[in-house]
């Protein structure tokens, strides 16, 4: 690792932490505090991740959408990733970022998109590095607790969200 890479690897967690604190403050001011906050549970296991990704792929194939699909655990770490043949390469990182965004901020990535679209204080989200304020990142819940998240990219954001929600529904059945 070069000196520059080493410095970057040490600086990124600090930036993400400060970005997360900024994000939390913004979102807290935008949302009502009447509901109980979601808690993290045990991280998603490989069998669960396969079930979620299989359901998401089925939805994508049903609609002839080329998609990249990422599953992360409660720490935001990649557990499983699949890309349908022909999916654009740029969707790989976007899918992962959508999953990490949903997981790390305990809400669908679409909520960030909506906050930015509303303007005002929500525009501060544009200053946070390493988030994906686009529909397509959804929490994976089990027994009311977050076990990870799915991120989908490859089509329009609304379609990405549809595929992500189809994936999360697999564990509710």
């Amino acid at each position: 690792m070069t000196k520059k890479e080493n410095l970057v690897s040490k600086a990124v967690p600090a930036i993400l932490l400060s970005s997360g604190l900024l994000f939390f403050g913004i979102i807290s001011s935008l949302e009502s505090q009447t509901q109980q906050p979601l808690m993290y549970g045990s991280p998603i296991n490989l069998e669960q991740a396969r079930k979620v990704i299989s359901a998401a792929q089925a939805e994508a194939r049903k609609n002839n959408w080329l998609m990249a699909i990422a599953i992360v655990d409660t720490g935001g770490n990649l557990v499983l990733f699949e890309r349908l043949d022909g999916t654009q390469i740029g969707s790989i990182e976007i899918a992962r970022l959508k999953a990490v965004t949903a997981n790390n901020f305990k809400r669908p990535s679409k909520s960030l998109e909506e906050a930015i679209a509303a303007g005002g204080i929500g525009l501060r989200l544009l200053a946070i590095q390493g988030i994906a304020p686009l529909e397509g990142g959804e929490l994976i819940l089990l027994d009311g607790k977050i076990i990870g998240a799915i991120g989908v990219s490859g089509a329009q954001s609304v379609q990405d969200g549809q595929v992500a929600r189809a994936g999360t529904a697999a564990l509710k059945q």
Side-chain angles (χ1 to χ4, degrees), residues 26-95:
I26 293 168
I27 293 300
S28 293
S29 68
L30 294 173
E31 294 185 343
S32 168
Q33 297 298 324
T34 59
Q35 64 184 22
Q36 286 283 13
L38 289 171
M39 303 301 292
Y40 291 106
S42 297
I44 192 168
N45 64 42
L46 188 56
E47 180 182 337
Q48 293 165 325
R50 285 185 176 139
K51 191 172 183 179
V52 170
I53 219 164
S54 179
Q57 285 178 330
E59 181 70 14
R61 285 189 176 108
K62 178 179 88 174
N63 291 289
N64 295 313
W65 295 329
L66 301 175
M67 301 275 186
I69 305 166
I71 307 290
V72 298
D73 64 15
T74 53
N77 304 298
L78 191 62
V79 173
L80 191 60
F81 175 84
E82 294 204 13
R83 177 175 59 97
L84 298 175
D85 291 340
T87 302
Q88 62 193 8
I89 301 300
S91 290
I92 294 170
E93 182 62 10
I94 295 168

